[in-house]
Amino acid sequence: MWRVGVSVVRMSRRSLLTTAEGTTQQAFGPSEWGLVAGISLIWGGSFVFIANGLESFPPPVIGLLRLMLGFTALSFVPATRAVTFEAADRRRAALLGLVWMALPFLLFPIAEQWIASSVAGMLNGGIPVVAAGVAAILLRRAPGTTQIIGIGIGAVGIVLISLPSLAGGSRTALGVALVLVAVLCYGVSSNVAVPLTQKYGSIATQWRIQGAAVVWSLPYALSRVGEIHDVTVKSAGSVFVLGLFGTGFAMVLAGKLMARVGVTRGTIFNYIVPVVAIVLGVVFRDDVMEPLHLAGIALVLVGAWVVTRKGR
């Protein structure tokens, strides 16, 4: 399997869109589940932090601040500058800065002006489905039967989670659509990031990508700085935590997991994120949990467990 992934990378060296298999196809062990748990807790809470930040900051400013904070935090790690990227890989990192971070980090705050933070988190659970589809195209083969079954179960769960929001009016539907665009961006970019991470390490790769994302986000964010108002400890603190942990360190952990187990299985933490997001949304943002949400959560959790079984 690994040889197949390597051969695809070599054949696609001139293309910006390329991916690779993970370095192991074994069932998840304690270290993999530890990464999943850590990422899920951090990113499950990020949607609440975004909602808190919107009380004082416009969406593009939130995106820029979290990127600057994440990039700055990683800059203190010596490993970030220990490697030199090849020219083609610098272009891939620049592309990922736009598609993996700058654009989604803008779309989520905009969407959360019209949909609840818990709903945004739940829709985020669609990433494994998109990532698996993109991986199948780039690797020119379908995932294993077990993974297909798990992805299918999770996809049904995401549909159930989305239905109540789609019935909430045009603004709500637009918010859902923006999140789904961000999910598509994540699904594509997660694949492209795998070979870079395997080649240069997660910390160095994330540092370069986040630096590029800061550049992409800067012009639009600066044009909206004048809209900052009534900054509170709650809103500023939320953005700080969002940037330091949600962007800086969680992205490093996610990159490490995907490089190890492959993008199809490595993105399944997005099935756990909705559970954390909806619990925190109900507790801290007074979000409402619909019966379909509960049914959807049950299915995505089952799907997540199935996907993590041994590949092929």
mmCIF file of all heavy atoms in Angstrom, residues 1 20-29 32-33 36 39 127-129 131-132 135 143-144 146-148 151 191 194 254 257-272 303-312:
data_model
loop_
_atom_site.group_PDB
_atom_site.id
_atom_site.type_symbol
_atom_site.label_atom_id
_atom_site.label_comp_id
_atom_site.label_asym_id
_atom_site.label_seq_id
_atom_site.Cartn_x
_atom_site.Cartn_y
_atom_site.Cartn_z
ATOM 1 N N MET A 1 0.814 -1.210 0.000
ATOM 2 C CA MET A 1 0.000 0.000 0.000
ATOM 3 C C MET A 1 0.846 1.258 0.000
ATOM 4 O O MET A 1 0.590 2.211 -0.702
ATOM 5 C CB MET A 1 -0.897 0.021 1.222
ATOM 6 C CG MET A 1 -1.899 -1.075 1.228
ATOM 7 S SD MET A 1 -2.868 -0.952 2.714
ATOM 8 C CE MET A 1 -3.696 -2.477 2.619
ATOM 9 N N ALA A 20 -0.640 10.771 -0.399
ATOM 10 C CA ALA A 20 0.106 9.544 -0.140
ATOM 11 C C ALA A 20 -0.626 8.719 0.894
ATOM 12 O O ALA A 20 -1.453 9.228 1.657
ATOM 13 C CB ALA A 20 1.522 9.868 0.358
ATOM 14 N N GLU A 21 -0.319 7.413 0.919
ATOM 15 C CA GLU A 21 -0.863 6.541 1.946
ATOM 16 C C GLU A 21 -0.222 6.879 3.290
ATOM 17 O O GLU A 21 0.841 7.505 3.358
ATOM 18 C CB GLU A 21 -0.547 5.074 1.609
ATOM 19 C CG GLU A 21 -1.177 4.567 0.328
ATOM 20 C CD GLU A 21 -2.602 4.102 0.531
ATOM 21 O OE1 GLU A 21 -3.171 4.393 1.608
ATOM 22 O OE2 GLU A 21 -3.138 3.444 -0.372
ATOM 23 N N GLY A 22 -0.849 6.416 4.375
ATOM 24 C CA GLY A 22 -0.228 6.545 5.681
ATOM 25 C C GLY A 22 0.900 5.539 5.825
ATOM 26 O O GLY A 22 1.046 4.630 5.014
ATOM 27 N N THR A 23 1.700 5.701 6.848
ATOM 28 C CA THR A 23 2.834 4.797 7.054
ATOM 29 C C THR A 23 2.431 3.500 7.757
ATOM 30 O O THR A 23 3.238 2.587 7.881
ATOM 31 C CB THR A 23 3.928 5.492 7.875
ATOM 32 O OG1 THR A 23 3.374 5.940 9.114
ATOM 33 C CG2 THR A 23 4.486 6.687 7.111
ATOM 34 N N THR A 24 1.176 3.408 8.229
ATOM 35 C CA THR A 24 0.692 2.180 8.854
ATOM 36 C C THR A 24 -0.774 1.963 8.515
ATOM 37 O O THR A 24 -1.534 2.929 8.363
ATOM 38 C CB THR A 24 0.858 2.217 10.387
ATOM 39 O OG1 THR A 24 0.320 1.002 10.945
ATOM 40 C CG2 THR A 24 0.111 3.390 10.992
ATOM 41 N N GLN A 25 -1.150 0.699 8.369
ATOM 42 C CA GLN A 25 -2.545 0.341 8.109
ATOM 43 C C GLN A 25 -3.148 -0.430 9.275
ATOM 44 O O GLN A 25 -4.241 -0.979 9.163
ATOM 45 C CB GLN A 25 -2.633 -0.506 6.831
ATOM 46 C CG GLN A 25 -2.214 0.219 5.566
ATOM 47 C CD GLN A 25 -3.138 1.361 5.230
ATOM 48 O OE1 GLN A 25 -4.343 1.262 5.402
ATOM 49 N NE2 GLN A 25 -2.572 2.465 4.755
ATOM 50 N N GLN A 26 -2.446 -0.487 10.396
ATOM 51 C CA GLN A 26 -2.920 -1.224 11.561
ATOM 52 C C GLN A 26 -4.082 -0.481 12.234
ATOM 53 O O GLN A 26 -4.261 0.729 12.047
ATOM 54 C CB GLN A 26 -1.781 -1.420 12.561
ATOM 55 C CG GLN A 26 -0.628 -2.250 12.020
ATOM 56 C CD GLN A 26 -1.070 -3.634 11.587
ATOM 57 O OE1 GLN A 26 -1.765 -4.343 12.320
ATOM 58 N NE2 GLN A 26 -0.677 -4.028 10.367
ATOM 59 N N ALA A 27 -4.859 -1.220 13.023
ATOM 60 C CA ALA A 27 -5.937 -0.592 13.803
ATOM 61 C C ALA A 27 -5.338 0.423 14.774
ATOM 62 O O ALA A 27 -4.182 0.308 15.185
ATOM 63 C CB ALA A 27 -6.708 -1.664 14.566
ATOM 64 N N PHE A 28 -6.114 1.414 15.134
ATOM 65 C CA PHE A 28 -5.642 2.462 16.035
ATOM 66 C C PHE A 28 -5.229 1.877 17.380
ATOM 67 O O PHE A 28 -5.935 1.059 17.965
ATOM 68 C CB PHE A 28 -6.738 3.503 16.265
ATOM 69 C CG PHE A 28 -6.846 4.522 15.164
ATOM 70 C CD1 PHE A 28 -6.500 4.231 13.862
ATOM 71 C CD2 PHE A 28 -7.302 5.803 15.448
ATOM 72 C CE1 PHE A 28 -6.612 5.155 12.848
ATOM 73 C CE2 PHE A 28 -7.415 6.756 14.447
ATOM 74 C CZ PHE A 28 -7.071 6.436 13.136
ATOM 75 N N GLY A 29 -4.081 2.325 17.865
ATOM 76 C CA GLY A 29 -3.619 1.962 19.196
ATOM 77 C C GLY A 29 -3.765 3.144 20.141
ATOM 78 O O GLY A 29 -4.361 4.173 19.797
ATOM 79 N N GLU A 32 -2.630 6.643 18.696
ATOM 80 C CA GLU A 32 -3.543 7.202 17.695
ATOM 81 C C GLU A 32 -4.829 7.711 18.344
ATOM 82 O O GLU A 32 -5.311 8.812 18.031
ATOM 83 C CB GLU A 32 -3.879 6.156 16.631
ATOM 84 C CG GLU A 32 -2.746 5.843 15.667
ATOM 85 C CD GLU A 32 -1.735 4.883 16.234
ATOM 86 O OE1 GLU A 32 -2.061 4.206 17.251
ATOM 87 O OE2 GLU A 32 -0.626 4.785 15.691
ATOM 88 N N TRP A 33 -5.371 6.923 19.271
ATOM 89 C CA TRP A 33 -6.586 7.363 19.956
ATOM 90 C C TRP A 33 -6.302 8.579 20.836
ATOM 91 O O TRP A 33 -7.163 9.446 21.010
ATOM 92 C CB TRP A 33 -7.176 6.234 20.798
ATOM 93 C CG TRP A 33 -8.001 5.274 19.998
ATOM 94 C CD1 TRP A 33 -7.748 3.959 19.757
ATOM 95 C CD2 TRP A 33 -9.221 5.565 19.286
ATOM 96 N NE1 TRP A 33 -8.728 3.405 18.958
ATOM 97 C CE2 TRP A 33 -9.644 4.371 18.657
ATOM 98 C CE3 TRP A 33 -9.983 6.720 19.123
ATOM 99 C CZ2 TRP A 33 -10.789 4.302 17.881
ATOM 100 C CZ3 TRP A 33 -11.134 6.652 18.350
ATOM 101 C CH2 TRP A 33 -11.528 5.451 17.742
ATOM 102 N N VAL A 36 -6.448 11.501 18.498
ATOM 103 C CA VAL A 36 -7.853 11.759 18.155
ATOM 104 C C VAL A 36 -8.559 12.499 19.288
ATOM 105 O O VAL A 36 -9.279 13.482 19.066
ATOM 106 C CB VAL A 36 -8.585 10.443 17.836
ATOM 107 C CG1 VAL A 36 -10.102 10.678 17.744
ATOM 108 C CG2 VAL A 36 -8.073 9.854 16.536
ATOM 109 N N ILE A 39 -7.186 16.225 19.635
ATOM 110 C CA ILE A 39 -7.658 17.079 18.535
ATOM 111 C C ILE A 39 -9.150 17.349 18.669
ATOM 112 O O ILE A 39 -9.622 18.482 18.485
ATOM 113 C CB ILE A 39 -7.360 16.415 17.182
ATOM 114 C CG1 ILE A 39 -5.852 16.248 16.995
ATOM 115 C CG2 ILE A 39 -7.938 17.242 16.037
ATOM 116 C CD1 ILE A 39 -5.484 15.294 15.878
ATOM 117 N N ILE A 127 -16.037 16.098 6.892
ATOM 118 C CA ILE A 127 -14.691 16.116 6.318
ATOM 119 C C ILE A 127 -14.176 14.724 5.953
ATOM 120 O O ILE A 127 -13.602 14.538 4.878
ATOM 121 C CB ILE A 127 -13.711 16.834 7.269
ATOM 122 C CG1 ILE A 127 -14.066 18.326 7.345
ATOM 123 C CG2 ILE A 127 -12.269 16.661 6.805
ATOM 124 C CD1 ILE A 127 -13.228 19.106 8.343
ATOM 125 N N PRO A 128 -14.344 13.698 6.816
ATOM 126 C CA PRO A 128 -13.822 12.377 6.431
ATOM 127 C C PRO A 128 -14.410 11.850 5.130
ATOM 128 O O PRO A 128 -13.714 11.157 4.369
ATOM 129 C CB PRO A 128 -14.232 11.490 7.624
ATOM 130 C CG PRO A 128 -14.326 12.425 8.773
ATOM 131 C CD PRO A 128 -14.872 13.694 8.201
ATOM 132 N N VAL A 129 -15.672 12.145 4.860
ATOM 133 C CA VAL A 129 -16.296 11.674 3.623
ATOM 134 C C VAL A 129 -15.627 12.327 2.419
ATOM 135 O O VAL A 129 -15.259 11.661 1.440
ATOM 136 C CB VAL A 129 -17.809 11.990 3.629
ATOM 137 C CG1 VAL A 129 -18.452 11.532 2.323
ATOM 138 C CG2 VAL A 129 -18.483 11.335 4.825
ATOM 139 N N ALA A 131 -12.652 13.841 2.356
ATOM 140 C CA ALA A 131 -11.238 13.469 2.313
ATOM 141 C C ALA A 131 -11.048 12.092 1.694
ATOM 142 O O ALA A 131 -10.116 11.869 0.901
ATOM 143 C CB ALA A 131 -10.652 13.500 3.722
ATOM 144 N N ALA A 132 -11.920 11.154 2.043
ATOM 145 C CA ALA A 132 -11.813 9.806 1.487
ATOM 146 C C ALA A 132 -12.070 9.811 -0.011
ATOM 147 O O ALA A 132 -11.396 9.108 -0.778
ATOM 148 C CB ALA A 132 -12.801 8.873 2.181
ATOM 149 N N ALA A 135 -9.003 11.297 -1.701
ATOM 150 C CA ALA A 135 -7.900 10.327 -1.641
ATOM 151 C C ALA A 135 -8.083 9.231 -2.683
ATOM 152 O O ALA A 135 -7.114 8.800 -3.335
ATOM 153 C CB ALA A 135 -7.818 9.715 -0.247
ATOM 154 N N PRO A 143 -11.042 3.312 -0.926
ATOM 155 C CA PRO A 143 -10.618 2.862 0.407
ATOM 156 C C PRO A 143 -11.017 1.405 0.618
ATOM 157 O O PRO A 143 -11.751 0.815 -0.175
ATOM 158 C CB PRO A 143 -11.403 3.794 1.351
ATOM 159 C CG PRO A 143 -11.836 4.944 0.510
ATOM 160 C CD PRO A 143 -12.021 4.396 -0.867
ATOM 161 N N GLY A 144 -10.518 0.801 1.706
ATOM 162 C CA GLY A 144 -10.889 -0.567 2.025
ATOM 163 C C GLY A 144 -12.374 -0.686 2.331
ATOM 164 O O GLY A 144 -13.043 0.305 2.656
ATOM 165 N N THR A 146 -13.984 -1.952 4.844
ATOM 166 C CA THR A 146 -14.341 -1.532 6.200
ATOM 167 C C THR A 146 -14.449 -0.021 6.296
ATOM 168 O O THR A 146 -15.387 0.512 6.907
ATOM 169 C CB THR A 146 -13.292 -2.043 7.209
ATOM 170 O OG1 THR A 146 -13.210 -3.462 7.126
ATOM 171 C CG2 THR A 146 -13.665 -1.630 8.626
ATOM 172 N N GLN A 147 -13.484 0.678 5.677
ATOM 173 C CA GLN A 147 -13.501 2.134 5.729
ATOM 174 C C GLN A 147 -14.695 2.714 4.960
ATOM 175 O O GLN A 147 -15.296 3.704 5.379
ATOM 176 C CB GLN A 147 -12.179 2.708 5.180
ATOM 177 C CG GLN A 147 -11.022 2.644 6.164
ATOM 178 C CD GLN A 147 -10.606 1.229 6.493
ATOM 179 O OE1 GLN A 147 -10.346 0.433 5.587
ATOM 180 N NE2 GLN A 147 -10.549 0.891 7.779
ATOM 181 N N ILE A 148 -15.036 2.089 3.843
ATOM 182 C CA ILE A 148 -16.191 2.561 3.067
ATOM 183 C C ILE A 148 -17.472 2.448 3.887
ATOM 184 O O ILE A 148 -18.315 3.354 3.899
ATOM 185 C CB ILE A 148 -16.315 1.761 1.751
ATOM 186 C CG1 ILE A 148 -15.151 2.111 0.811
ATOM 187 C CG2 ILE A 148 -17.656 2.058 1.073
ATOM 188 C CD1 ILE A 148 -15.143 1.286 -0.455
ATOM 189 N N ILE A 151 -17.415 5.166 6.570
ATOM 190 C CA ILE A 151 -17.655 6.483 5.971
ATOM 191 C C ILE A 151 -19.128 6.642 5.620
ATOM 192 O O ILE A 151 -19.725 7.701 5.819
ATOM 193 C CB ILE A 151 -16.767 6.661 4.720
ATOM 194 C CG1 ILE A 151 -15.303 6.811 5.135
ATOM 195 C CG2 ILE A 151 -17.205 7.887 3.914
ATOM 196 C CD1 ILE A 151 -14.338 6.715 3.977
ATOM 197 N N ASN A 191 -5.530 15.938 2.167
ATOM 198 C CA ASN A 191 -4.806 15.000 1.314
ATOM 199 C C ASN A 191 -3.464 15.562 0.858
ATOM 200 O O ASN A 191 -2.441 14.877 0.900
ATOM 201 C CB ASN A 191 -5.656 14.650 0.088
ATOM 202 C CG ASN A 191 -6.660 13.560 0.352
ATOM 203 O OD1 ASN A 191 -6.333 12.388 0.326
ATOM 204 N ND2 ASN A 191 -7.898 13.951 0.629
ATOM 205 N N VAL A 194 -0.550 15.484 3.498
ATOM 206 C CA VAL A 194 0.051 14.232 3.982
ATOM 207 C C VAL A 194 1.482 14.026 3.481
ATOM 208 O O VAL A 194 2.401 13.803 4.278
ATOM 209 C CB VAL A 194 -0.843 13.027 3.637
ATOM 210 C CG1 VAL A 194 -0.092 11.718 3.842
ATOM 211 C CG2 VAL A 194 -2.097 13.047 4.499
ATOM 212 N N ALA A 254 -2.963 17.081 14.170
ATOM 213 C CA ALA A 254 -3.757 16.525 13.073
ATOM 214 C C ALA A 254 -2.860 16.093 11.920
ATOM 215 O O ALA A 254 -3.054 15.019 11.327
ATOM 216 C CB ALA A 254 -4.784 17.552 12.598
ATOM 217 N N LEU A 257 -1.152 12.817 12.810
ATOM 218 C CA LEU A 257 -2.041 11.659 12.751
ATOM 219 C C LEU A 257 -2.301 11.238 11.313
ATOM 220 O O LEU A 257 -2.232 10.046 10.979
ATOM 221 C CB LEU A 257 -3.366 11.983 13.450
ATOM 222 C CG LEU A 257 -4.424 10.880 13.417
ATOM 223 C CD1 LEU A 257 -3.958 9.660 14.203
ATOM 224 C CD2 LEU A 257 -5.750 11.395 13.997
ATOM 225 N N MET A 258 -2.591 12.198 10.432
ATOM 226 C CA MET A 258 -2.900 11.869 9.041
ATOM 227 C C MET A 258 -1.698 11.295 8.315
ATOM 228 O O MET A 258 -1.829 10.398 7.483
ATOM 229 C CB MET A 258 -3.446 13.103 8.316
ATOM 230 C CG MET A 258 -4.844 13.497 8.755
ATOM 231 S SD MET A 258 -5.550 14.861 7.803
ATOM 232 C CE MET A 258 -4.603 16.251 8.427
ATOM 233 N N ALA A 259 -0.500 11.802 8.623
ATOM 234 C CA ALA A 259 0.704 11.259 7.997
ATOM 235 C C ALA A 259 0.928 9.821 8.436
ATOM 236 O O ALA A 259 1.432 8.994 7.670
ATOM 237 C CB ALA A 259 1.910 12.122 8.361
ATOM 238 N N ARG A 260 0.529 9.484 9.650
ATOM 239 C CA ARG A 260 0.770 8.144 10.185
ATOM 240 C C ARG A 260 -0.253 7.136 9.658
ATOM 241 O O ARG A 260 0.123 6.026 9.254
ATOM 242 C CB ARG A 260 0.722 8.175 11.715
ATOM 243 C CG ARG A 260 1.010 6.826 12.362
ATOM 244 C CD ARG A 260 0.879 6.898 13.874
ATOM 245 N NE ARG A 260 1.780 7.882 14.458
ATOM 246 C CZ ARG A 260 1.816 8.189 15.757
ATOM 247 N NH1 ARG A 260 0.987 7.577 16.593
ATOM 248 N NH2 ARG A 260 2.658 9.092 16.208
ATOM 249 N N VAL A 261 -1.543 7.474 9.671
ATOM 250 C CA VAL A 261 -2.575 6.482 9.340
ATOM 251 C C VAL A 261 -3.267 6.753 8.013
ATOM 252 O O VAL A 261 -4.155 6.009 7.618
ATOM 253 C CB VAL A 261 -3.632 6.401 10.472
ATOM 254 C CG1 VAL A 261 -2.974 6.061 11.791
ATOM 255 C CG2 VAL A 261 -4.422 7.712 10.588
ATOM 256 N N GLY A 262 -2.877 7.829 7.312
ATOM 257 C CA GLY A 262 -3.524 8.167 6.055
ATOM 258 C C GLY A 262 -4.709 9.086 6.269
ATOM 259 O O GLY A 262 -5.285 9.142 7.356
ATOM 260 N N VAL A 263 -5.089 9.794 5.225
ATOM 261 C CA VAL A 263 -6.110 10.828 5.390
ATOM 262 C C VAL A 263 -7.502 10.235 5.599
ATOM 263 O O VAL A 263 -8.334 10.807 6.312
ATOM 264 C CB VAL A 263 -6.104 11.788 4.176
ATOM 265 C CG1 VAL A 263 -6.647 11.100 2.933
ATOM 266 C CG2 VAL A 263 -6.878 13.063 4.467
ATOM 267 N N THR A 264 -7.794 9.079 5.004
ATOM 268 C CA THR A 264 -9.127 8.484 5.145
ATOM 269 C C THR A 264 -9.429 8.165 6.602
ATOM 270 O O THR A 264 -10.513 8.466 7.117
ATOM 271 C CB THR A 264 -9.254 7.213 4.296
ATOM 272 O OG1 THR A 264 -9.056 7.548 2.916
ATOM 273 C CG2 THR A 264 -10.640 6.593 4.469
ATOM 274 N N ARG A 265 -8.473 7.564 7.295
ATOM 275 C CA ARG A 265 -8.669 7.244 8.712
ATOM 276 C C ARG A 265 -8.235 8.400 9.607
ATOM 277 O O ARG A 265 -8.764 8.568 10.707
ATOM 278 C CB ARG A 265 -7.902 5.976 9.082
ATOM 279 C CG ARG A 265 -8.375 4.740 8.337
ATOM 280 C CD ARG A 265 -7.856 3.473 8.991
ATOM 281 N NE ARG A 265 -6.399 3.405 8.980
ATOM 282 C CZ ARG A 265 -5.695 2.633 9.801
ATOM 283 N NH1 ARG A 265 -6.318 1.872 10.688
ATOM 284 N NH2 ARG A 265 -4.383 2.598 9.732
ATOM 285 N N GLY A 266 -7.279 9.202 9.140
ATOM 286 C CA GLY A 266 -6.725 10.258 9.980
ATOM 287 C C GLY A 266 -7.637 11.443 10.196
ATOM 288 O O GLY A 266 -7.404 12.259 11.086
ATOM 289 N N THR A 267 -8.698 11.570 9.387
ATOM 290 C CA THR A 267 -9.641 12.675 9.570
ATOM 291 C C THR A 267 -10.856 12.282 10.399
ATOM 292 O O THR A 267 -11.781 13.086 10.547
ATOM 293 C CB THR A 267 -10.124 13.217 8.208
ATOM 294 O OG1 THR A 267 -10.655 12.134 7.431
ATOM 295 C CG2 THR A 267 -8.983 13.876 7.449
ATOM 296 N N ILE A 268 -10.874 11.084 10.971
ATOM 297 C CA ILE A 268 -12.079 10.652 11.687
ATOM 298 C C ILE A 268 -12.290 11.400 12.998
ATOM 299 O O ILE A 268 -13.374 11.315 13.580
ATOM 300 C CB ILE A 268 -12.088 9.131 11.942
ATOM 301 C CG1 ILE A 268 -10.895 8.695 12.797
ATOM 302 C CG2 ILE A 268 -12.162 8.377 10.644
ATOM 303 C CD1 ILE A 268 -11.174 8.625 14.264
ATOM 304 N N PHE A 269 -11.284 12.152 13.457
ATOM 305 C CA PHE A 269 -11.542 12.975 14.641
ATOM 306 C C PHE A 269 -12.674 13.961 14.373
ATOM 307 O O PHE A 269 -13.320 14.446 15.295
ATOM 308 C CB PHE A 269 -10.274 13.708 15.089
ATOM 309 C CG PHE A 269 -9.608 14.512 14.011
ATOM 310 C CD1 PHE A 269 -10.090 15.752 13.640
ATOM 311 C CD2 PHE A 269 -8.473 14.028 13.379
ATOM 312 C CE1 PHE A 269 -9.472 16.496 12.650
ATOM 313 C CE2 PHE A 269 -7.834 14.760 12.393
ATOM 314 C CZ PHE A 269 -8.345 16.003 12.020
ATOM 315 N N ASN A 270 -12.915 14.248 13.090
ATOM 316 C CA ASN A 270 -14.019 15.143 12.736
ATOM 317 C C ASN A 270 -15.379 14.506 12.995
ATOM 318 O O ASN A 270 -16.402 15.193 12.925
ATOM 319 C CB ASN A 270 -13.905 15.546 11.262
ATOM 320 C CG ASN A 270 -12.739 16.466 11.010
ATOM 321 O OD1 ASN A 270 -12.748 17.629 11.398
ATOM 322 N ND2 ASN A 270 -11.702 15.936 10.366
ATOM 323 N N TYR A 271 -15.408 13.200 13.249
ATOM 324 C CA TYR A 271 -16.637 12.556 13.682
ATOM 325 C C TYR A 271 -16.854 12.737 15.186
ATOM 326 O O TYR A 271 -17.987 12.653 15.672
ATOM 327 C CB TYR A 271 -16.610 11.057 13.360
ATOM 328 C CG TYR A 271 -16.908 10.717 11.920
ATOM 329 C CD1 TYR A 271 -16.670 9.433 11.435
ATOM 330 C CD2 TYR A 271 -17.437 11.654 11.048
ATOM 331 C CE1 TYR A 271 -16.948 9.089 10.123
ATOM 332 C CE2 TYR A 271 -17.711 11.323 9.733
ATOM 333 C CZ TYR A 271 -17.466 10.055 9.272
ATOM 334 O OH TYR A 271 -17.756 9.720 7.969
ATOM 335 N N ILE A 272 -15.768 12.962 15.920
ATOM 336 C CA ILE A 272 -15.875 13.174 17.367
ATOM 337 C C ILE A 272 -16.103 14.650 17.688
ATOM 338 O O ILE A 272 -16.783 14.986 18.660
ATOM 339 C CB ILE A 272 -14.600 12.681 18.084
ATOM 340 C CG1 ILE A 272 -14.182 11.298 17.558
ATOM 341 C CG2 ILE A 272 -14.818 12.648 19.584
ATOM 342 C CD1 ILE A 272 -15.193 10.220 17.786
ATOM 343 N N GLY A 303 -19.700 5.279 12.916
ATOM 344 C CA GLY A 303 -18.893 5.377 11.706
ATOM 345 C C GLY A 303 -17.423 5.614 12.010
ATOM 346 O O GLY A 303 -16.536 5.032 11.380
ATOM 347 N N ALA A 304 -17.149 6.461 12.990
ATOM 348 C CA ALA A 304 -15.766 6.752 13.370
ATOM 349 C C ALA A 304 -15.060 5.488 13.851
ATOM 350 O O ALA A 304 -13.908 5.226 13.493
ATOM 351 C CB ALA A 304 -15.731 7.820 14.461
ATOM 352 N N TRP A 305 -15.746 4.708 14.667
ATOM 353 C CA TRP A 305 -15.132 3.481 15.190
ATOM 354 C C TRP A 305 -14.848 2.489 14.058
ATOM 355 O O TRP A 305 -13.784 1.882 14.007
ATOM 356 C CB TRP A 305 -16.042 2.837 16.227
ATOM 357 C CG TRP A 305 -15.448 1.587 16.802
ATOM 358 C CD1 TRP A 305 -14.518 1.478 17.801
ATOM 359 C CD2 TRP A 305 -15.731 0.243 16.372
ATOM 360 N NE1 TRP A 305 -14.207 0.153 18.024
ATOM 361 C CE2 TRP A 305 -14.928 -0.617 17.170
ATOM 362 C CE3 TRP A 305 -16.572 -0.307 15.407
ATOM 363 C CZ2 TRP A 305 -14.958 -2.001 17.024
ATOM 364 C CZ3 TRP A 305 -16.599 -1.681 15.251
ATOM 365 C CH2 TRP A 305 -15.810 -2.511 16.063
ATOM 366 N N VAL A 306 -15.771 2.362 13.133
ATOM 367 C CA VAL A 306 -15.592 1.418 12.030
ATOM 368 C C VAL A 306 -14.420 1.833 11.147
ATOM 369 O O VAL A 306 -13.594 0.997 10.720
ATOM 370 C CB VAL A 306 -16.889 1.310 11.188
ATOM 371 C CG1 VAL A 306 -16.646 0.447 9.941
ATOM 372 C CG2 VAL A 306 -18.006 0.727 12.014
ATOM 373 N N VAL A 307 -14.297 3.131 10.859
ATOM 374 C CA VAL A 307 -13.232 3.629 9.990
ATOM 375 C C VAL A 307 -11.852 3.325 10.572
ATOM 376 O O VAL A 307 -10.890 3.090 9.850
ATOM 377 C CB VAL A 307 -13.394 5.143 9.737
ATOM 378 C CG1 VAL A 307 -12.145 5.718 9.069
ATOM 379 C CG2 VAL A 307 -14.604 5.399 8.862
ATOM 380 N N THR A 308 -11.733 3.335 11.902
ATOM 381 C CA THR A 308 -10.419 3.155 12.527
ATOM 382 C C THR A 308 -9.961 1.709 12.580
ATOM 383 O O THR A 308 -8.849 1.433 13.024
ATOM 384 C CB THR A 308 -10.416 3.698 13.980
ATOM 385 O OG1 THR A 308 -11.347 2.956 14.766
ATOM 386 C CG2 THR A 308 -10.781 5.157 14.006
ATOM 387 N N ARG A 309 -10.784 0.772 12.098
ATOM 388 C CA ARG A 309 -10.343 -0.619 12.081
ATOM 389 C C ARG A 309 -9.183 -0.780 11.079
ATOM 390 O O ARG A 309 -8.953 0.080 10.239
ATOM 391 C CB ARG A 309 -11.491 -1.546 11.676
ATOM 392 C CG ARG A 309 -12.697 -1.556 12.621
ATOM 393 C CD ARG A 309 -12.300 -1.999 14.018
ATOM 394 N NE ARG A 309 -11.802 -0.878 14.830
ATOM 395 C CZ ARG A 309 -11.032 -1.003 15.886
ATOM 396 N NH1 ARG A 309 -10.634 -2.186 16.272
ATOM 397 N NH2 ARG A 309 -10.657 0.048 16.562
ATOM 398 N N LYS A 310 -8.515 -1.893 11.133
ATOM 399 C CA LYS A 310 -7.363 -2.154 10.278
ATOM 400 C C LYS A 310 -7.739 -2.012 8.815
ATOM 401 O O LYS A 310 -8.749 -2.542 8.369
ATOM 402 C CB LYS A 310 -6.812 -3.554 10.545
ATOM 403 C CG LYS A 310 -5.564 -3.912 9.760
ATOM 404 C CD LYS A 310 -5.060 -5.282 10.136
ATOM 405 C CE LYS A 310 -3.814 -5.649 9.350
ATOM 406 N NZ LYS A 310 -3.295 -6.985 9.714
ATOM 407 N N GLY A 311 -6.920 -1.284 8.052
ATOM 408 C CA GLY A 311 -7.184 -1.076 6.633
ATOM 409 C C GLY A 311 -6.797 -2.309 5.824
ATOM 410 O O GLY A 311 -5.919 -3.071 6.201
ATOM 411 N N ARG A 312 -7.440 -2.458 4.713
ATOM 412 C CA ARG A 312 -7.162 -3.533 3.737
ATOM 413 C C ARG A 312 -6.509 -4.752 4.380
ATOM 414 O O ARG A 312 -5.447 -5.154 4.050
ATOM 415 C CB ARG A 312 -6.243 -3.002 2.646
ATOM 416 C CG ARG A 312 -6.918 -1.881 1.866
ATOM 417 C CD ARG A 312 -6.146 -1.469 0.656
ATOM 418 N NE ARG A 312 -6.783 -0.280 0.121
ATOM 419 C CZ ARG A 312 -7.838 -0.248 -0.662
ATOM 420 N NH1 ARG A 312 -8.398 -1.367 -1.038
ATOM 421 N NH2 ARG A 312 -8.353 0.881 -1.094
#
